[in-house]
Structure formats: C-alpha cells, structure tokens
Amino acid sequence: MKQFEVPIIYRGPLITAIKKMRKDSDRMKRDFTPTLLDFGPLRIYLARHFGFCYGVENAIDIAFKTVEENPGKRIFLLSEMIHNPQVNSDLQDHGVKFLQDTYGNTLIPFGELNADDIVLIPAFGTTLEIEKKLNDIGIQTEKYNTTCPFVEKVWNRSEMIAKQNYTIIIHGKPKHEETRATFSHASVNSPSVIVKDMEQAKELAKYIAGKKPYSLFYEEFNGQYSEDFDAGKDLERIGVVNQTTMLASDTQAIADYLKQIMINKYGLAEANIEEHFADTRDTLCYATNDNQNAVIDLLKTDADLAIVVGGYNSSNTSHLVELCEEKLPTYFINNEEKILSSKEILHYNFHTKEEMLTPDYLPSKQPVKILLTSGASCPDALVEGVIKKLISFFKVTKTTEEVIENFG
C-alpha cells in the first residue's frame, strides 16, 4: 500500500515499534491476537489493529501538504477532516478554516468564497450538490479531494448496481457526513433509502412484503429517501451498501435479513436471487473490518476493563466501544487527560452523548489487566499517552524504553 507523510507528532516510539514488529511477523494480517505489554503490576493488552487507517493517513497527508505548498492562500475545509479533535485543531492552528460543522450547518457562507480559494473535501466525501456549488464559484475540488478510496468504492458499487435497476439501501447514520455523501451519489442514479439499524430494516421489510400500507413509508422514513421515491415499485429490486464505519456484522445482518425477505416474497433460490437482490458484500471497508475483528479477538482475553481512545463523534470508534461494552466495563476517552487519577476517569457515554465521571475504575488487585484500542482517526501518540498515564499509577518492573527494546 502507498505510504503517506503523517506529521511525527501523531506517532509514538512504543506504538511504532509494536506495529512494525506485528507487521513484519504477520504480513498477511491473519493473526488477530493482541499484543501484551507486561509492566508487572499492570498488563495492557493492545489490539492487533487500531489507529489511523489508509483513508485517514491519505487525508492528513493531502491536507498538510496543501497548507505547506500554498503559503498566503486562503484554505478552507468543507467540514471536519476526520472525527478527531486533535487533528482538526492542528489544521485550524495552521490557518485552515471550516465552512461547515459536522452536521452540515454553515459556519462560513459559500458566498464569501472566491475562485482563488482552496477548499479541502474531507475523508468522508461530500454531496454532489455541494461539489457543484464549489465548482460554480470556480473552485477546483478534484485536486484537494481527500475522500477515502473505500468510500468511493461504495459510490462506484452503488452506481454499478443502479445501472442494473436496483434501488440502493444504505445502512448508515442519516446525519453522518459520509452517509449524506453516499446518499447523494447513489440517489442521482437510482431510488435510494437510508436505514440506520436493524430495527429500521425490519420496518422497511414490511413495506417490501406488503405488510404495511405504502402511504406510511414517507412519514416513517422522512428525510431518508430520494426524491420521487415510490414505495410501491422501488422496493422490488434492492442492493445494500453501507457507511464504511458501521459495524460490519450489523450491515451483513441487515443485508441477510432483507435478502431472505426477497427470497420469501418472490420464491427465489440462490441461482436466481439476483433477479431481486444484488450482491454488495465487497463494499465493506478493510480497516473497519480489521479493527472490529481485532477487538473481537482482544475480548477473548481475561481482563478487568477496556479503554477505547478516539473522537467522541467518531462512528467507527463508537462501534468499538459498543463491542467492548458487551463484555466488560469500558471507558471511552479522547486523550490521556481524561484519566484524572488512579481513582477517577472522565469518559464519554455515546448513548447519552455526555461525559461522566466514574470513581474506582481501577481494581485494587494486581496485576491489573486492561484492554486498549483506538479508532481509525486516532493518532498513535494519544494511545501512547494513555499507556504512559496508566503506567504512572503503578510501581512497574519495566520502563516503556525497556518494553520498546523487546519489540525492536
């Protein structure tokens, strides 16, 4: 894979050494067992895959090169580059201004832009409508487009099955930048509808099966279907694609469920399933899969708690938290400063969208066993900072430098 220039401030010597060792010993990425960092009274189990993915490194590389190569020019980001506060803040410190917030609300009107300005398209991509607005101003979008190649893969697959007269079902969060962009690209070619979870997929299935009046569809899926969508005829041939950061198992479960609905309704067999249901399994993102599978293997370890590091509005990170919460106490933090002491931790509850303070999060017994991972938009330096903060609470038998030597 292509190598990117990512600022050194996002790296950490310990994590770099670990990742290099794991990559050299497992080039085919078949071993998902965690890495043990044994500090004596503290044992940290690090997920096999975590941190910056290909799409994020690509976006960061393009963004910082754009700043470096265009001194004196006005540079804007359409919205957050990625869902990580440190990276977005660093770009703002370099003079980059945001045109919209993460929900698409205007921060700087497009009317204030001119053809000489640079506008970076974030890793999530953008809608065709916004791209046209920028092009009409005279702004080049292709040169400064950091859209993740795996997001574009979903768009290309959607276009391909649209040409075969399938309606596109998008599994994603309706307000997420990537889902909005995918919906825009899909709906220009085919009728499209967003389902946010299995519960909504089951309700959609009732319309497919004719168990609910089509008239109710438009209120139930308000804001989630394309213009002129006809629930009576546009659900006869469907294909499922996804926001790349959703839980892969959830997307597959939704696809399997809707596939079975089609089989039941039309009396299909595997030989003719494509008459009503498209095969779209190739739209799942490799990094999302790897990170989620690494957490699944990580959770096989007997441990006291899990810590997940990442941006609080990061979809892929919240799904890692979701997996961990099913097994043991889990603390979602965006940097080491949230670990206030050995007695208290300030962490994010993504269900209620608020931070909460938890006392006595570390058990009194030793060794303390902690599972650790991070989202695809989280710098390794933040994970390393969390490790160092945890180490500071114990009389460890090894320093981080000695542990680094083990992975050299």
Side-chain angles (χ1 to χ4, degrees), residues 33-296:
T33 57
T35 302
L36 170 60
L37 307 181
D38 190 349
F39 295 100
L42 171 65
R43 292 179 185 171
I44 296 174
Y45 295 85
L46 200 57
R48 168 66 176 95
H49 297 285
F50 63 92
F52 284 171
C53 63
Y54 181 96
V56 166
E57 291 200 347
N58 174 60
I60 290 173
D61 186 18
I62 293 172
F64 281 99
K65 277 183 179 174
T66 300
V67 171
E68 183 182 338
E69 294 170 0
N70 293 278
K73 283 201 107 175
R74 297 203 309 170
I75 301 174
F76 299 88
L77 249 171
L78 191 55
S79 62
E80 291 188 3
M81 169 62 64
I82 56 176
H83 284 161
N84 182 270
Q86 180 184 347
V87 175
N88 290 314
S89 177
D90 288 345
L91 286 168
Q92 287 176 311
D93 289 345
H94 281 78
V96 178
K97 294 181 172 61
F98 288 15
L99 295 174
Q100 300 174 323
D101 66 14
T102 191
Y103 300 108
N105 299 312
T106 299
L107 300 176
I108 299 174
F110 282 21
E112 295 184 15
L113 301 175
N114 61 64
D116 292 328
D117 293 329
I118 292 173
V119 176
L120 288 156
I121 307 298
F124 313 108
T126 190
T127 65
L128 293 170
E129 296 81 5
I130 288 176
E131 198 168 324
K132 184 178 185 303
K133 280 184 182 179
L134 294 173
N135 291 337
D136 287 347
I137 295 169
I139 292 171
Q140 300 177 37
T141 51
E142 287 184 14
K143 187 176 180 181
Y144 304 106
N145 188 346
T146 77
T147 303
C148 171
F150 294 96
V151 173
E152 291 179 330
K153 182 180 178 182
V154 175
W155 298 352
N156 294 337
R157 187 67 176 129
S158 297
E159 183 178 356
M160 189 182 302
I161 65 173
K163 288 177 180 176
Q164 299 169 36
N165 297 317
Y166 289 103
T167 289
I168 312 299
I169 311 297
I170 303 163
H171 173 218
K173 299 176 180 178
K175 294 183 179 180
H176 192 282
E177 297 101 314
E178 183 189 327
T179 298
R180 296 200 307 265
T182 296
F183 178 77
S184 171
H185 283 257
S187 60
V188 75
N189 296 308
S190 172
S192 304
V193 61
I194 300 168
V195 294
K196 59 186 177 183
D197 51 27
M198 177 60 88
E199 185 179 339
Q200 275 205 332
K202 287 181 176 179
E203 293 308 309
L204 184 69
K206 292 176 184 176
Y207 295 107
I208 294 172
K211 293 181 178 179
K212 288 182 80 170
Y214 296 132
S215 57
L216 299 178
F217 169 87
Y218 304 100
E219 182 178 352
E220 185 169 0
F221 285 88
N222 183 37
Q224 294 175 223
Y225 58 85
S226 56
E227 189 176 353
D228 298 325
F229 193 94
D230 186 338
K233 69 179 183 65
D234 289 337
L235 295 172
E236 294 176 356
R237 284 169 61 85
I238 63 172
V240 179
V241 299
N242 67 319
Q243 176 187 319
T244 59
T245 54
M246 301 301 280
L247 268 176
S249 57
D250 284 357
T251 298
Q252 195 58 57
I254 287 170
D256 290 344
Y257 182 82
L258 293 176
K259 179 180 178 180
Q260 190 59 49
I261 294 295
M262 296 306 242
I263 289 172
N264 294 345
K265 179 175 181 179
Y266 295 103
L268 303 172
E270 283 300 323
N272 64 345
I273 183 64
E274 291 195 0
E275 290 179 10
H276 291 277
F277 190 85
D279 179 6
T280 54
R281 285 172 294 179
D282 57 356
T283 65
L284 297 175
C285 168
Y286 88 93
T288 300
N289 272 338
D290 284 352
N291 288 355
Q292 291 172 6
N293 287 333
V295 165
I296 290 168

Side-chain angles (χ1 to χ4, degrees), residues 45 298-305 328 365 369-371:
Y45 295 85
L298 181 67
L299 291 169
K300 295 175 183 176
T301 305
D302 179 36
D304 302 302
L305 63 134
L328 75 174
K365 68 158 188 78
K369 299 177 181 178
I370 299 176
L371 308 183

Side-chain angles (χ1 to χ4, degrees), residues 2 24 29 36 99 235 265 329 334 345 357 386 392 407:
K2 180 181 176 182
D24 290 345
K29 298 197 296 185
L36 170 60
L99 295 174
L235 295 172
K265 179 175 181 179
N334 58 19
I345 188 168
L357 185 68
V386 167
S392 71
F407 295 101

